[in-house]
Amino acid sequence: RKAMKVAIVGGGITGASAASSLAGRGVEVTVFDQGGRGPGGRASHRRVDAASGTVGPDDALLAPEDDSTYEFDHGCQFFRADSPQMRAITERWVEAGWASRWEGRFGRLGRGADSRGSNDFAAAPDFFGVPGSEGPVYTGVGGMHRLPRAILAASGASVRR
């Protein structure tokens, strides 16, 4: 019996997760991704030389004391795991070392001072459910771009650009 073949367009977190799920069921998966720097989709990451502004490769690891390079996620910077299914998936990613709980401090700006000079933080718009969410927030270890790349690598799916 011939294995089913599936093409997935996009190697972001969703495409990578779909590829992993299908490949785990014996489906032959090919992911087509147009990312010039590799799969990742909205989980985009940049590494920029502080002196020259040159954008460098985003997969090399920096030494902790290296302050000559700025690194930042400029697409999806974090995600939440609100449903039981997403919590189970996230736990597997954390156990694999691909994701971790983001312990950063979140805040929000008020809409401006009222007549008493007080900011109305309760009325401020929420930023994608943070900090108003009750649950934890997660991020990719070493940058969000590494999460879909790790999922794809473990899935056995082929990736084409």
Side-chain angles (χ1 to χ4, degrees):
R1 188 171 176 190
K2 226 173 167 179
M4 182 186 302
K5 295 181 179 182
V6 173
I8 296 174
V9 178
I13 295 172
T14 302
S17 295
S20 177
S21 179
L22 290 168
R25 291 176 172 82
V27 176
E28 187 179 324
V29 181
T30 302
V31 176
F32 293 88
D33 189 88
Q34 70 175 357
R37 301 170 65 78
R42 296 296 303 154
S44 300
H45 184 84
R46 288 293 179 267
R47 168 183 249 180
V48 180
D49 181 77
S52 69
T54 304
V55 176
D58 57 8
D59 277 334
L61 294 175
L62 288 178
E65 64 279 356
D66 185 351
D67 60 358
S68 67
T69 304
Y70 300 122
E71 287 195 78
F72 53 94
D73 291 322
H74 62 90
C76 172
Q77 298 158 354
F78 58 85
F79 64 94
R80 293 174 29 187
D82 294 337
S83 71
Q85 297 87 353
M86 189 63 193
R87 280 193 293 277
I89 291 167
T90 301
E91 285 174 21
R92 288 194 302 269
W93 294 345
V94 168
E95 288 172 10
W98 304 340
S100 67
R101 195 168 172 168
W102 190 4
E103 300 293 344
R105 239 180 84 197
F106 296 97
R108 58 170 104 167
L109 300 175
R111 294 179 189 231
D114 63 18
S115 60
R116 300 175 311 235
S118 164
N119 280 320
D120 181 9
F121 291 106
D126 207 355
F127 180 71
F128 299 113
V130 177
S133 74
E134 302 274 329
V137 176
Y138 297 88
T139 190
V141 173
M144 281 296 289
H145 66 302
R146 291 182 186 269
L147 178 58
R149 292 176 190 182
I151 296 167
L152 284 168
S155 76
S158 65
V159 179
R160 291 192 180 171
R161 292 186 182 177

